[in-house]
Every structure is written in structure tokens, then in C-alpha cells.
Amino acid sequence: MTHRIPVFDGHNDTLLRVRPAENEGGRCFFVESNEGHVDLPRARRGGLAGGVCGICVPRPPDSSGGPAASTGAPAPIDPEYALRVVMTALARACRIEAADSDAFRIVRGAAELERCLADGAFAAVLHLEGAEAIDPELEALWVFHRLGLRSLGITWSRPNVFGHGVPFTFPNSPDTGPGLTEAGVALVRACNELGIAIDCAHLNERGFFDVASRTTAPLIVSHTAAHALCPSPRNLTDSQLDAVAASGGVVGVTFCTAFLRADGRSTPDTPLEEIVRHVEYVAARIGADHVGFGSDFDGATIPRALGSAAGLPLLLDALRSRGFGGEDLAKIASLNWRRVLARAWRGHRPGAHDIMA
Ligand SMILES: [Zn+2]
């Protein structure tokens, strides 16, 4: 008999899919659906207590946006368009919270996160997946921070003014281009100072090591897997895994089948054990203190056997059957994320002149 362990997950795309109420042209967060992976009823059934809720900007409907022939990377997007998409998703998050703050809360700090988990409200950490909506002068970063942004991915899998994301070509190394730009380096420093967690998922290898050599916070790669098991450029090499551990950080093992399977295929006909295989690999290499989940719920093709957030107890059972128990399982399910986010959020808060210097 499974006993329920609450899961705090490092990455989902749920804010892009759900609405605060029914009849708003999408599924309602509070109503159970067969579509996608997360709504309140399925989260509660599966023990999903909260997660880092990403806002990823899809390519504009009026653009070709196809991969550039030379690199295979998706084309850059217009920052103004990105800002519009981000505003819509942030407004939805605010309205979901306003509709029922006992059920869903935007968390802005470690104490709030812990209180939320204790109260049984879904704890949502606001995250931008790619910094296109932020201007190089970082004015929007300040505004988003005041609104509750507590996590930022420097890039999605496309280039922007701050850095270069990895394309989805397979198989490939994550070493696909140059590191952070000067604006990217300033962004890292500003996030450290404000207490915004920096997420290196989707960033290329040189960008990752640029973050590693500059950040004062533990390294976070929210939804990824082991390159040694699946040679996707979205996955981490052993030396990247080692760097995450050395910083005291966390790797969220994704449920996205294309980054789990050795053949790189995206198909729901992928056993749950593929997730377990990557968790085992990362835990064996860098320790159970540095592994969590990074489901990519509502953003990826996941194993059918898992199905949705409601299937999380099956994953925990599969991990138990491979010998993960007690404290290690609790760390992987939620404690590691809580520890690392708390450290990243501590930041330090100098005056604006320091940030702009
Ligand atoms: Zn992603």
C-alpha cells in the first residue's frame, strides 16, 4: 500500500493551458479534465502539492518560426509579442489565485512555500521559460519580481539577447554555440541580487558554465535528463551534473519521453521506468540530494503509464521498487527543490544603482 508523499515539481507548463473559470475557451484549473496533465483535482489525487509554473512563449501564429537551416534552432521571437503572452499568463495565475486562494497560491518566498504545503493549497512558483519579455535594461525584471516572479530561464531553445538555447536536434551535444552575452551576465547578477532562481534548462553548455562561474546561488536545471542515457542536447553531460552538485543545486528529471529514451523518440508508449533510469543515474553520479522531478506536465509527451499528475504515486512506487526509500525519496519528491529554491530566493537586495551598475 502506497503512502502518499507530497510532490513539489520543478517545471510545468500548466499556466499556458488552464483558465480561472469554465467557458473561457480552455480547461478550468478547478475542474477535472481528461486533457493535459494538471488541474486541481488530479494534482490532489496524485499528491502534487505544487510546482514551478513556467510561462513559455509559443512561436507567434503569424510567423514561420521554423528552425534556421544553419543551426536547427527555432527562430528568435519579438520581445513585445513575448511580453503580451507573459501578461496573459500572469493575469491568469493572479485570477486563479483570486478565485480560490485556499486552493492555489502564488508563492514568493520560502516561508510562504512551506505554509502553502502545510495548508494544502497548490503552491505555484512563477517562472519565465526564456527571458524574451525582459528588456536588456532589466526594467521588466524588477516589475515581474514585484509581481511574484521567483524563477527565470535565461533562454528557451532559441537565441535571445541574453544567451543561446539548445536546438532539439538529436543526437547532439549541448555544446551548440556561444555562451551568455554581456546582457546575460548582467541578468545573472540581477537575479542573484533580487532573489530570483536562475534555471539553466534549455541553455546551451557554454551558457550553463557561464552561469555556473558567476552565480552566487545553487545551480538549477529544472527539466532535463542524463545525456549519458539519452544524447539529446537538452540533457546534461556528466560534467554539467557534477557542476550542479558542486553548487549544492538540483536537477529536475523530466518526464518528457524525447529526453528520456535512448532513441530520442517522443511517444507515450514509453515505460515509466525510463524516468526511474534517469533518476537512478543522476542520484548515483551526484547524490540523492541533487535530484528532483521536472515533469514538464502540460508541456510534453509523457509516458502513458503515468498519464497525468494523478499518476505520481505510480512513479514513487517504481522508485521504491528500485530501492529509493525514506528520506531519499522525500528529498527527490520535494525536499531538494524546497532547499534549493529557499537558498536562491535569499538573494541580497542592494539599491537599484548597484543592479544597474
Ligand atoms: Zn521546456
Side-chain angles (χ1 to χ4, degrees):
M1 174 66 200
T2 301
H3 88 258
R4 189 61 58 84
I5 289 185
V7 172
F8 182 90
D9 172 57
H11 186 83
N12 66 66
D13 277 356
T14 300
L15 287 180
L16 298 175
R17 318 278 174 222
V18 298
R19 305 291 185 269
E22 290 181 275
N23 64 49
E24 284 201 27
R27 58 193 173 86
C28 171
F29 177 73
F30 299 102
V31 177
E32 176 147 357
S33 168
N34 296 322
E35 287 170 42
H37 304 136
V38 179
D39 46 48
L40 186 66
R42 285 184 290 179
R44 287 196 166 151
R45 210 160 63 242
L48 180 64
V52 181
C53 297
I55 302 172
C56 179
V57 180
R59 82 180 143 103
D62 57 348
S63 82
S64 70
S70 53
T71 63
I77 50 166
D78 171 30
E80 280 184 33
Y81 163 76
L83 185 58
R84 277 206 309 280
V85 171
V86 167
M87 290 298 281
T88 300
L90 288 176
R92 268 184 211 150
C94 294
R95 290 183 55 217
I96 291 171
E97 184 181 48
D100 188 349
S101 63
D102 290 334
F104 176 97
R105 252 177 260 159
I106 298 168
V107 299
R108 295 169 175 80
E112 246 181 277
L113 173 55
E114 295 304 317
R115 203 173 321 123
C116 218
L117 298 177
D119 291 352
F122 187 93
V125 174
L126 296 180
H127 167 79
L128 296 188
E129 191 170 15
E132 281 87 352
I134 296 170
D135 51 289
E137 294 73 31
L138 309 182
E139 289 169 350
L141 186 73
W142 276 83
V143 176
F144 288 145
H145 177 261
R146 289 296 162 101
L147 281 174
L149 185 78
R150 290 295 178 272
S151 175
L152 176 67
I154 295 175
T155 66
W156 187 71
S157 280
R158 49 167 81 102
N160 63 30
V161 297
F162 302 106
H164 303 264
V166 285
F168 296 108
T169 45
F170 182 90
N172 201 354
S173 148
D175 185 14
T176 57
L180 297 184
T181 64
E182 214 172 295
V185 171
L187 179 63
V188 169
R189 197 170 53 165
C191 286
N192 285 165
E193 290 171 349
L194 283 166
I196 296 175
I198 299 163
D199 179 1
C200 295
H202 289 275
L203 192 58
N204 67 11
E205 192 176 26
R206 282 180 230 181
F208 170 92
F209 281 108
D210 281 346
V211 174
S213 66
R214 286 173 170 88
T215 183
T216 58
L219 289 170
I220 289 173
V221 189
S222 68
H223 54 307
T224 184
H227 196 270
L229 303 183
C230 166
S232 164
R234 278 281 287 103
N235 288 341
L236 299 182
T237 62
D238 287 348
S239 62
Q240 288 178 294
L241 290 173
D242 296 346
V244 172
S247 76
V250 67
V251 171
V253 170
T254 187
F255 306 165
C256 176
T257 56
F259 309 141
L260 295 170
R261 300 168 59 98
D263 63 8
R265 282 178 57 214
S266 173
T267 168
D269 294 320
T270 298
L272 197 59
E273 285 66 29
E274 286 287 324
I275 302 171
V276 176
R277 202 165 69 94
H278 285 265
V279 170
E280 279 186 307
Y281 183 89
V282 177
R285 175 138 194 126
I286 61 174
D289 284 344
H290 306 290
V291 199
F293 299 138
S295 67
D296 212 358
F297 280 144
D298 287 320
T301 299
I302 68 170
R304 184 178 289 119
L306 186 66
S308 74
L312 283 167
L314 299 173
L315 175 59
L316 295 174
D317 281 344
L319 285 165
R320 277 191 196 93
S321 75
R322 296 293 299 172
F324 289 94
E327 205 184 332
D328 278 352
L329 198 57
K331 284 178 181 172
I332 292 167
S334 107
L335 294 175
N336 289 337
W337 272 114
R338 287 149 69 184
R339 178 195 80 233
V340 170
L341 288 172
R343 275 205 41 208
W345 292 340
R346 224 178 278 151
H348 66 274
R349 292 158 207 274
H353 59 281
D354 292 326
I355 296 242
M356 297 308 178

PDB file of all heavy atoms in Angstrom, residues 11 13 129 156 202 223 234 296, ligand 1:
ATOM      1  N   HIS A  11       9.032  21.846 -12.819  1.00  0.00           N
ATOM      2  CA  HIS A  11       8.621  22.543 -14.048  1.00  0.00           C
ATOM      3  C   HIS A  11       7.325  21.995 -14.625  1.00  0.00           C
ATOM      4  O   HIS A  11       7.208  20.808 -14.891  1.00  0.00           O
ATOM      5  CB  HIS A  11       9.693  22.440 -15.136  1.00  0.00           C
ATOM      6  CG  HIS A  11       9.361  23.267 -16.353  1.00  0.00           C
ATOM      7  ND1 HIS A  11       9.623  24.621 -16.426  1.00  0.00           N
ATOM      8  CD2 HIS A  11       8.737  22.960 -17.515  1.00  0.00           C
ATOM      9  CE1 HIS A  11       9.200  25.091 -17.586  1.00  0.00           C
ATOM     10  NE2 HIS A  11       8.657  24.115 -18.264  1.00  0.00           N
ATOM     11  N   ASP A  13       4.004  23.410 -17.523  1.00  0.00           N
ATOM     12  CA  ASP A  13       3.515  24.453 -18.440  1.00  0.00           C
ATOM     13  C   ASP A  13       2.022  24.694 -18.227  1.00  0.00           C
ATOM     14  O   ASP A  13       1.325  25.172 -19.130  1.00  0.00           O
ATOM     15  CB  ASP A  13       3.740  24.017 -19.905  1.00  0.00           C
ATOM     16  CG  ASP A  13       5.158  24.311 -20.385  1.00  0.00           C
ATOM     17  OD1 ASP A  13       5.947  24.906 -19.636  1.00  0.00           O
ATOM     18  OD2 ASP A  13       5.477  23.924 -21.531  1.00  0.00           O
ATOM     19  N   GLU A 129      10.006  30.959 -18.915  1.00  0.00           N
ATOM     20  CA  GLU A 129      10.851  29.997 -19.626  1.00  0.00           C
ATOM     21  C   GLU A 129      11.411  30.696 -20.864  1.00  0.00           C
ATOM     22  O   GLU A 129      10.844  30.640 -21.947  1.00  0.00           O
ATOM     23  CB  GLU A 129      10.016  28.759 -19.999  1.00  0.00           C
ATOM     24  CG  GLU A 129      10.875  27.628 -20.489  1.00  0.00           C
ATOM     25  CD  GLU A 129      10.119  26.317 -20.625  1.00  0.00           C
ATOM     26  OE1 GLU A 129       8.869  26.331 -20.612  1.00  0.00           O
ATOM     27  OE2 GLU A 129      10.790  25.286 -20.774  1.00  0.00           O
ATOM     28  N   TRP A 156      14.705  29.866 -23.710  1.00  0.00           N
ATOM     29  CA  TRP A 156      14.086  28.631 -24.150  1.00  0.00           C
ATOM     30  C   TRP A 156      15.030  28.125 -25.239  1.00  0.00           C
ATOM     31  O   TRP A 156      16.136  28.644 -25.373  1.00  0.00           O
ATOM     32  CB  TRP A 156      12.650  28.905 -24.638  1.00  0.00           C
ATOM     33  CG  TRP A 156      11.899  27.653 -24.959  1.00  0.00           C
ATOM     34  CD1 TRP A 156      11.418  26.714 -24.072  1.00  0.00           C
ATOM     35  CD2 TRP A 156      11.550  27.182 -26.266  1.00  0.00           C
ATOM     36  NE1 TRP A 156      10.804  25.696 -24.757  1.00  0.00           N
ATOM     37  CE2 TRP A 156      10.875  25.947 -26.100  1.00  0.00           C
ATOM     38  CE3 TRP A 156      11.752  27.665 -27.567  1.00  0.00           C
ATOM     39  CZ2 TRP A 156      10.389  25.200 -27.183  1.00  0.00           C
ATOM     40  CZ3 TRP A 156      11.267  26.930 -28.640  1.00  0.00           C
ATOM     41  CH2 TRP A 156      10.596  25.717 -28.440  1.00  0.00           C
ATOM     42  N   HIS A 202      17.303  24.293 -21.105  1.00  0.00           N
ATOM     43  CA  HIS A 202      17.246  24.836 -22.476  1.00  0.00           C
ATOM     44  C   HIS A 202      18.482  25.658 -22.852  1.00  0.00           C
ATOM     45  O   HIS A 202      18.640  26.015 -24.014  1.00  0.00           O
ATOM     46  CB  HIS A 202      16.001  25.702 -22.728  1.00  0.00           C
ATOM     47  CG  HIS A 202      14.721  24.954 -22.798  1.00  0.00           C
ATOM     48  ND1 HIS A 202      14.269  24.367 -23.963  1.00  0.00           N
ATOM     49  CD2 HIS A 202      13.778  24.685 -21.859  1.00  0.00           C
ATOM     50  CE1 HIS A 202      13.093  23.782 -23.735  1.00  0.00           C
ATOM     51  NE2 HIS A 202      12.776  23.954 -22.460  1.00  0.00           N
ATOM     52  N   HIS A 223      14.138  20.953 -15.910  1.00  0.00           N
ATOM     53  CA  HIS A 223      13.557  19.793 -16.598  1.00  0.00           C
ATOM     54  C   HIS A 223      14.530  19.331 -17.670  1.00  0.00           C
ATOM     55  O   HIS A 223      14.678  19.947 -18.698  1.00  0.00           O
ATOM     56  CB  HIS A 223      12.158  20.080 -17.142  1.00  0.00           C
ATOM     57  CG  HIS A 223      12.023  21.282 -18.041  1.00  0.00           C
ATOM     58  ND1 HIS A 223      12.452  22.542 -17.688  1.00  0.00           N
ATOM     59  CD2 HIS A 223      11.485  21.412 -19.277  1.00  0.00           C
ATOM     60  CE1 HIS A 223      12.184  23.383 -18.673  1.00  0.00           C
ATOM     61  NE2 HIS A 223      11.607  22.724 -19.658  1.00  0.00           N
ATOM     62  N   ARG A 234      19.316  18.749 -24.967  1.00  0.00           N
ATOM     63  CA  ARG A 234      18.559  19.261 -23.816  1.00  0.00           C
ATOM     64  C   ARG A 234      19.019  18.617 -22.507  1.00  0.00           C
ATOM     65  O   ARG A 234      18.639  19.045 -21.433  1.00  0.00           O
ATOM     66  CB  ARG A 234      17.059  19.003 -24.034  1.00  0.00           C
ATOM     67  CG  ARG A 234      16.374  20.029 -24.899  1.00  0.00           C
ATOM     68  CD  ARG A 234      16.051  21.315 -24.128  1.00  0.00           C
ATOM     69  NE  ARG A 234      14.940  21.104 -23.205  1.00  0.00           N
ATOM     70  CZ  ARG A 234      15.040  20.947 -21.901  1.00  0.00           C
ATOM     71  NH1 ARG A 234      16.228  20.985 -21.305  1.00  0.00           N
ATOM     72  NH2 ARG A 234      13.970  20.780 -21.154  1.00  0.00           N
ATOM     73  N   ASP A 296       7.561  18.670 -16.644  1.00  0.00           N
ATOM     74  CA  ASP A 296       7.088  19.271 -17.899  1.00  0.00           C
ATOM     75  C   ASP A 296       5.637  18.879 -18.173  1.00  0.00           C
ATOM     76  O   ASP A 296       5.216  18.779 -19.329  1.00  0.00           O
ATOM     77  CB  ASP A 296       7.980  18.914 -19.093  1.00  0.00           C
ATOM     78  CG  ASP A 296       8.015  20.040 -20.125  1.00  0.00           C
ATOM     79  OD1 ASP A 296       7.327  21.061 -19.937  1.00  0.00           O
ATOM     80  OD2 ASP A 296       8.725  19.889 -21.140  1.00  0.00           O
TER      81      ASP A 296
HETATM   82 ZN    ZN B   1      10.885  23.470 -21.515  1.00  0.00          ZN
END
